[in-house]
Amino acid sequence: MLPSVELYNALNKAQGNNMLAELQQIYDKLPQTTCNNCASCCNWGSPPAFFIEYLNMYKYVRDNMKEQWGEVLTRSAEYFYLELVDVNQKCPFVGPDNRCSIYQVRPLSCRIYGLLAKSDFEKGDLNQGLKFIASKLWDEYQIKVPSEIANSELKWCGNVKNPTGKHLKMDVLVSATSEVAKIDARFFPENLVDQEGTSLPYPVHLMNTVLGDGARARKIKIMKEFADQGTKTMLAPILKKANNFEF
């Protein structure tokens, strides 16, 4: 789990040392893709983001989305606790029109989707991780992950287009990821960053900030209640707390 970092000290450090500008420069090296807004990639789950990307997102939501704070926080809390047991969960930042509410500050993992050729994209098997987690949850806690989630798969999408008309090589995307990780290493020990300890979905980062170190402690019980009964009794007061949080 990501160590606790005093958020505003970290944000001030990032701004004072031009880290957010460095992050944007990395983003700007990538082609700007377009698509048909089907949101199939967004509905698959909330993609991982490095800590510096989380700070970038947090600042954006704080400064530009005050009217949506409650909605963002409530949906993020639900996603944090129920992503593996509720088939209706999707990235909390996707709106009913399938558009991303934080598109300007979306993480690298979103920006690189569709930039690889199909053959390169399909070399990895993202689904194996979900199957392992589903098996572990059943063996240890008798929590049944719905088959729609355990067997879900992020597929290559031919509707994503970039202006160059060419797909990028894997080493280009690996290099971009490494550059972002180097910024994170200015906050955390390099070995933690190397192990992807700072790369977490936005809602996970956000709930660690909003709910503190106890956020994960309640997760198994809340998941089991929903999986067994379809209810959110234990989750309700947490949603209320999240809804009242001010950025």
Side-chain angles (χ1 to χ4, degrees), residues 10 13-14 16-20 22-23 26 51-52 179-190 193 198:
K13 177 179 178 179
N17 291 277
N18 296 317
M19 295 183 200
L20 299 182
E22 289 179 38
L23 178 65
I26 297 169
F51 182 70
I52 185 62
E179 288 185 62
V180 179
K182 286 178 181 177
I183 301 178
D184 264 21
R186 289 149 75 178
F187 292 100
F188 305 102
E190 284 192 28
V193 178
T198 64

Side-chain angles (χ1 to χ4, degrees), residues 43-241:
N43 292 331
W44 187 76
S46 188
F50 285 98
F51 182 70
I52 185 62
E53 296 183 294
Y54 167 55
L55 293 178
N56 197 34
M57 180 278 291
Y58 187 94
K59 180 179 181 298
Y60 180 86
V61 174
R62 182 196 68 186
D63 296 346
N64 299 282
M65 297 176 61
K66 187 172 183 178
E67 297 299 319
Q68 289 83 46
W69 283 359
E71 179 184 358
V72 166
L73 291 162
T74 300
R75 292 176 64 183
S76 293
E78 280 212 346
Y79 182 90
F80 176 81
Y81 286 103
L82 302 179
E83 60 168 319
L84 294 173
V85 291
D86 181 1
V87 297
N88 294 313
Q89 292 299 317
K90 61 181 181 179
C91 180
F93 298 101
V94 179
D97 59 355
N98 282 345
R99 293 186 178 275
C100 176
S101 61
I102 55 167
Y103 189 79
Q104 293 90 329
V105 291
R106 67 198 186 282
L108 184 68
S109 54
C110 290
R111 294 169 189 265
I112 64 178
Y113 180 71
L115 292 179
L116 286 174
K118 185 177 182 181
S119 57
D120 287 333
F121 179 84
E122 293 180 344
K123 286 179 181 177
D125 189 351
L126 298 173
N127 194 36
Q128 288 302 314
L130 284 174
K131 289 180 178 178
F132 173 79
I133 293 171
S135 176
K136 185 177 177 66
L137 285 172
W138 177 254
D139 291 343
E140 296 187 10
Y141 306 105
Q142 288 71 60
I143 294 176
K144 184 172 178 56
V145 175
S147 59
E148 298 97 316
I149 296 175
N151 297 317
S152 64
E153 183 179 359
L154 180 61
K155 298 182 181 294
W156 183 83
C157 183
N159 293 321
V160 180
K161 309 294 182 183
N162 76 68
T164 69
K166 298 179 180 179
H167 292 108
L168 298 187
K169 298 295 184 182
M170 180 67 78
D171 60 349
V172 174
L173 304 189
V174 170
S175 176
T177 302
S178 177
E179 288 185 62
V180 179
K182 286 178 181 177
I183 301 178
D184 264 21
R186 289 149 75 178
F187 292 100
F188 305 102
E190 284 192 28
N191 66 312
L192 178 63
V193 178
D194 289 343
Q195 296 167 10
E196 298 186 357
T198 64
S199 184
L200 304 167
Y202 270 162
V204 177
H205 281 298
L206 189 55
M207 287 305 103
N208 285 339
T209 295
V210 174
L211 302 176
D213 294 337
R216 286 186 178 275
R218 295 164 288 212
K219 190 167 185 176
I220 292 298
K221 290 183 178 180
I222 291 172
M223 289 172 62
K224 187 163 179 59
E225 179 198 344
F226 186 87
D228 291 349
Q229 305 172 36
T231 57
K232 304 176 184 177
T233 304
M234 286 186 283
L235 181 57
I238 296 174
L239 295 180
K240 183 177 180 180
K241 178 180 178 180

